Amino acid sequence: MIEFVEVTKQYPGSKVPALNNVSLQIQRGEFVFLVGSSGAGKSTMLRLLFREYLPSSGNILFLGRDSAKMRPRELLKHRRRIGMVFQDFRLLKQKTVFENVAFALEVVGRSPQEIRLEVPIALAEVGLLDRAKAFPGELSGGEQQRVGIARAIVRKPTIILADEPTGNVDPENAWQLMELFTQINRTGTTVIIATHASDVVDRLRKRVIALEKGRIVRDEKRGVYGYES
Amino acid sequence: MRRNFWLAMVTASMIAVSIAIFGVFLLLSVNVGQVMQNIAGNVEIAVFLEDRADTNSVLSAIKGLSGVAEYTFVSREQGLLDFGQTLGEKDLFLVLAGENNPLPNMFRVRTLDATLVPAMADALRKVRGVEAVDYGEDLVAQLLNMTRWLNSMFLAISLFLGLGAMLLIVTIIRLSVMARQEEIGVMKYLGASNWYIRLPFILEGATMGLLGSLIATLSLGAVYFRLTSNLQNGVLPFLFRPVTEVAALWPIFAFLLLLGFFLGIIGSLLSVRKYLREVRRTA
């Protein structure tokens, strides 16, 4: 479903490329960990997948379609197939849990009826239905991230991209979050997670792509974190 | 919008001030134009006849010219009386009456439009029996020049003010964009279209623009009509009467309203543009 062909990404003003000649394929329904130290190129890879950036050279194909050739409407469609989860949650503080999740549907023009129907389903899936009226500030980090996940899945995306989703969460909650991601993956959603959580990676034994200085140094079907942490 | 209520009010009043100043210039320009027209429209062409000229043939030549608004024949006797009268003493030149009268017969010709005067004068000079033509060349040329100059000055100042108002809107909406930067970022990650993100800001800009220009036109209108009705009753000679016909004024006020509205829209489009710019290969 996703293919990187000799992708290099160089940010303006930096001498070393963030990604250097990376080629890989990810199939529909896969669960992938991107690991590597900070600055290895994990976030860049996610941003390229969201097509927030274009590669400096090489091609990224989604279902055979070159990301650089997407027209605005197509790009919007592409992004709407993706659910994003962030390390800092990116919830809107002045909106309730329900409203934050509903926002994902509002911005793509879904009807109020649909919103009333879909939001509780997503909240139930992450186990926060009873906190629907709370504001993000009243929730723990783990709970906030679960709202973030609910917001990402409420549109039933084909791909979930998560950048350090457990980075601001204590270990126990981190486990619960990863549990959630595997559950989501079981329904057929492709999940790609950039992470430093070595114990989680080691326990789950999913595909692990290790990056170092913008290159893939390891790509194992049932891999481990493989770094000192 | 609710959160930035006072900021929006400040913007609206700044827009109101800019638009009002612009409106003042527009009204001034219209009035100056009117005064110029009045003055220029009163320019007469004096056509002096040769001593033995056939008055009737000159008359029919004048009738044959296009653009003539009116004409009057002034006989040399009448001319002498008029001349005396302008000097305040009707009988001053009585001694010159009859054979001693130095004045020629003449026609006074008025054109439909001041701009026709020079050409008309040239045409009249060529008529057989006309000795000389005079219309105060310098005055007309100066008036036309001055009108042109004033109009371009008004235009320049207006452009300048319009630009200022626009910058103001851009700045203030950018503040409100910045206050919602986080929300915009989230919207983008949630796959909102650019128009979806822009729309609230455009509405905000348009509202401020319209509100500002509404305040401006209403107060400008009130002040203007108050002022002109005072002047109208007063002492100003006909030439300097202000423009008060609704037909001449409503386009100005409608234009000011639309201007505020579009300044608001364009300003907000410019403010959000930076935040919606799509990535490029090099970005």
Side-chain angles (χ1 to χ4, degrees), chain B residues 31-132:
Chain B
N31 279 292
V32 167
Q34 161 115 334
V35 169
M36 291 300 170
Q37 198 120 50
N38 286 344
I39 295 175
N42 271 295
V43 169
E44 277 180 343
I45 305 175
V47 182
F48 301 104
L49 304 188
E50 288 167 357
D51 279 349
R52 295 198 198 152
D54 176 357
T55 312
N56 282 326
S57 80
V58 175
L59 180 64
S60 58
I62 291 173
K63 278 179 178 166
L65 292 169
S66 64
V68 175
E70 57 177 65
Y71 55 85
T72 40
F73 176 71
V74 183
S75 66
R76 38 201 307 215
E77 291 78 22
Q78 186 61 43
L80 203 59
L81 284 175
D82 288 353
F83 193 28
Q85 203 146 31
T86 53
L87 293 177
E89 184 107 31
K90 204 174 167 191
D91 302 333
L92 184 65
F93 297 116
L94 268 185
V95 280
L96 294 176
E99 284 305 306
N100 296 326
N101 189 345
L103 297 178
N105 286 328
M106 68 177 287
F107 282 96
R108 292 185 203 278
V109 179
R110 246 184 245 272
T111 57
L112 290 168
D113 187 325
T115 55
L116 296 174
V117 169
M120 177 80 69
D122 281 344
L124 288 168
R125 269 189 199 105
K126 291 187 188 117
V127 173
R128 181 189 285 270
V130 171
E131 180 162 27

Side-chain angles (χ1 to χ4, degrees), chain A residues 9 12 50-52 55-56 68 76 79-80 84 86 90 93 103 106-107 151 155, chain B residues 3 182-183 185-194 196 278-283:
Chain A
K9 173 67 192 173
F50 190 67
R51 226 222 75 163
E52 192 176 341
S56 310
L76 219 54
R79 287 180 177 168
R80 287 175 182 185
M84 295 283 275
F86 306 92
R90 304 234 179 139
K93 291 182 230 39
F103 199 46
E106 272 168 34
V107 300
R151 185 178 63 185
R155 284 200 319 238
Chain B
R3 266 170 301 154
E182 194 192 2
E183 199 176 334
V186 170
M187 281 186 185
K188 278 164 97 173
Y189 279 121
L190 292 178
S193 71
N194 282 349
Y196 184 91
E278 261 312 326
V279 292
R280 273 160 239 283
R281 192 167 280 268
T282 50

